[in-house]
Amino acid sequence: MKTEHEVFSRVMAEVFPWWDFRCRCGCDYMMVSPRLVVAYCRLVLDILPAGTPLVVNSGYRCTLHNNTIVGASPRSRHLWGEAIDLHSDEVSPSGLAQAAEAVAEFREGGIGVYPWGVHLDVRRKRARWGYRGRQRISWEKALREYV
């Protein structure tokens, strides 16, 4: 039987895209909440079909990088390593959002639906939203539009 350390090491090497969580501004700094690691692994291993390709658009962001992103919240969960923006060529943004609802940490946290994919975070307060361009739309409307 493998030790917890061996299992965790395998997950970090094969399941969790740790390198994709580094800040994209060039500083390469990275901070990732253990809750986010657990939630992401539950999504990949327990909810989505095996082998579903996921692309991380954004993980951790340093303050300088966050300030350059149009529309980014100054209190973004990305600043604390508690959020991930991702998309898939095989699953619609609506499908990813609905799959994330099956993961307790995301269900209790934030899920945003966009034309390009989803924002998922592990804040400890439920939040739902959608966007069409720069216009905020309801969660329900976003789920219907981005199938």
Side-chain angles (χ1 to χ4, degrees):
M1 181 175 206
K2 294 187 187 300
T3 66
E4 286 182 16
H5 177 73
E6 289 170 324
V7 171
F8 184 76
S9 294
R10 179 171 177 238
V11 165
M12 289 303 284
E14 298 176 19
V15 179
F16 189 78
W18 62 272
W19 186 250
D20 290 338
F21 274 73
R22 73 196 186 291
C23 185
R24 303 291 171 94
C25 77
C27 72
D28 283 342
Y29 190 75
M30 180 177 62
M31 178 183 350
V32 183
S33 160
R35 278 177 50 86
L36 185 61
V37 173
V38 169
Y40 179 87
C41 290
R42 285 186 176 147
L43 179 67
V44 170
L45 297 174
D46 299 336
I47 308 300
L48 293 172
T52 301
L54 296 175
V55 178
V56 176
N57 297 352
S58 184
Y60 173 77
R61 293 181 196 152
C62 71
T63 305
L64 292 175
H65 182 56
N66 195 65
N67 291 343
T68 68
I69 298 173
V70 175
S73 169
R75 297 183 319 255
S76 171
R77 303 316 306 170
H78 290 280
L79 295 167
W80 303 102
E82 294 181 346
I84 180 174
D85 295 341
L86 56 89
H87 73 274
S88 173
D89 290 337
E90 293 183 10
V91 182
S92 69
S94 178
L96 288 173
Q98 291 170 338
E101 283 281 352
V103 178
E105 293 85 355
F106 292 139
R107 186 173 53 251
E108 297 162 5
I111 303 176
V113 184
Y114 298 81
W116 50 260
V118 294
H119 165 99
L120 306 173
D121 69 52
V122 294
R123 71 182 78 191
R124 296 187 187 271
K125 182 178 180 186
R126 184 178 165 88
R128 299 293 180 272
W129 66 92
Y131 271 91
R132 182 188 311 118
R134 292 188 185 176
Q135 177 187 7
R136 191 168 183 139
I137 60 175
S138 74
W139 160 256
E140 295 79 14
K141 192 171 201 172
L143 288 178
R144 286 192 306 272
E145 287 190 19
Y146 306 132
V147 292

